Amino acid sequence: MKRKTDVRLTLCLVVALMTLLLVPAGATAGSITLSYANFPPAPTFPCVQMERWKTEVEKRTDGKVAIKTYPGGTLLGAKEMMDGVIAGQADIGNLCMAYQPGRFIVTNATSLPLGIPSAKTGSLALWDLYQKYQPKAFSQVKVLTMFTTAPANIMSKKAVRSLDDIRGLDLRASGGAAQILKAWGANQVGMPMSATPEALQKGVVQGLFSSLEVMKDLKFAESCGYVTMTDTVIYPFAVVMNMDRWKALPPDVRKVMEDMGTEQAEWTGNYMDQHVKASMDWSVKEHKVEVIDLDAETKAVWDQKLQFITDKWVADAKAKGFPAEAIVTDIQKLTEQHR
Ligand code: 3IO
């Protein structure tokens, strides 16, 4: 008697297991789950845009797709993002192209000092540039969207009003912006944004060069009492997806994601531009941060020191076989078009 029950139970379990195994992936609602890795802390703009994208994709696919987000480098860190997504460690990843300056030559050209005035303009210009050139650097992934920060400025513990003030100052920047700080005489220290809070706190750096929304989002206003307005360059970002995972998605899901490319770039640009304003209002009000505007004469001297950067980039990129002049001209045209 006992034996018979055991056999029945085992049979039941086997049938249940087989049923589970036989249901094809993607057949039931919510059955496609994608992981999305991000490197900075959750309150920062790359993660805010990630949550917005997740919400919209889940809504527009009627619950067919669930996105699991991993902010704060919990799945992939800043510099592992591209290779981690290619290898399938995350299905989707958000990367700052500036962290690997030699890798994304065409799209990183948007971080030359070409006068991109805002994150909205930068994001739309970058996305158009990517689509026009379809750079080889992205051939192993599906690019879902791109966007940029607002122009970078100096946040520092001591006031920077002149080239004398910035000379020898330990300031953090990444990628192309490193050359800019060097050109102004600062002691440039390179690291991703995700490592910056600790570096500031430990006194490894005396400030940083980036877009100003981090004054609030990463609470830099608590230690950086001064902001010097240079409105110099933007940092470009990409959201990439593992190619096999992309190809395995049903066509209707792929369409939802493709249709969101431009929209997400613009949404993120707008969010960033508004958030920079909110962050600075908060910093001035809550932490009495002083905003330093360079007068026109001084600004012209600072800008003039950066002119060699684009010329040098053109020469280097040309030597590597890129249509460098056309890329620069296109960025300038696209900037006007989206201004
Ligand atoms: C950035 C990166 C992560 C989170 C917030 C941010 N705001 C501006 C950036 C640009 C950047 O990557 C950098 O390193 O300054």
Side-chain angles (χ1 to χ4, degrees), residues 39-40 44-46 96 99 149 172 174 191-193 209-211 213-214 218 235 237 272:
F39 64 94
T44 60
F45 91 99
C96 179
Y99 299 165
T149 63
R172 170 266 162 207
S174 256
M191 70 185 78
M193 183 60 84
F209 184 65
S210 192
S211 50
E213 90 294 347
V214 288
L218 293 174
Y235 283 88
F237 285 71
M272 164 61 92

Side-chain angles (χ1 to χ4, degrees), residues 49 53 127 143-147 237-240 260-262 264-265:
Q49 73 77 34
W53 191 84
W127 185 231
V143 180
L144 295 172
T145 191
M146 288 191 182
F147 48 82
F237 285 71
V239 179
V240 297
M260 276 184 70
T262 307
Q264 185 71 13

Side-chain angles (χ1 to χ4, degrees), residues 152-190:
N153 294 294
I154 299 166
M155 295 157 251
S156 53
K157 296 183 184 183
K158 62 168 246 193
V160 175
R161 302 175 201 280
S162 67
L163 290 173
D164 279 341
D165 291 336
I166 198 173
R167 191 169 302 123
L169 193 64
D170 298 323
L171 291 179
R172 170 266 162 207
S174 256
Q179 296 181 72
I180 290 175
L181 289 182
K182 280 184 204 153
W184 289 334
N187 178 33
Q188 182 270 332
V189 186

Side-chain angles (χ1 to χ4, degrees), residues 82 85 91-93 95 138 141-144 238-242:
M82 187 68 173
V85 169
D91 298 323
I92 301 170
L95 63 119
F138 293 99
V141 293
K142 171 67 185 178
V143 180
L144 295 172
V239 179
V240 297
M241 182 166 178
N242 177 275

Side-chain angles (χ1 to χ4, degrees), residues 190-262:
M191 70 185 78
M193 183 60 84
S194 31
T196 307
E198 192 181 326
L200 265 176
Q201 201 204 339
K202 290 193 170 158
V204 173
V205 293
Q206 298 302 310
L208 71 151
F209 184 65
S210 192
S211 50
L212 296 173
E213 90 294 347
V214 288
M215 286 290 277
K216 183 168 191 223
D217 295 343
L218 293 174
K219 304 270 186 293
F220 291 158
E222 288 173 2
S223 57
C224 295
Y226 301 91
V227 166
T228 304
M229 299 302 293
T230 61
D231 278 340
T232 317
V233 291
I234 55 81
Y235 283 88
F237 285 71
V239 179
V240 297
M241 182 166 178
N242 177 275
M243 196 57 106
D244 291 337
R245 292 292 278 171
W246 169 255
K247 285 183 178 158
L249 289 176
D252 57 330
V253 171
R254 288 206 296 253
K255 184 171 184 329
V256 166
M257 292 183 183
E258 274 186 330
D259 287 351
M260 276 184 70
T262 307

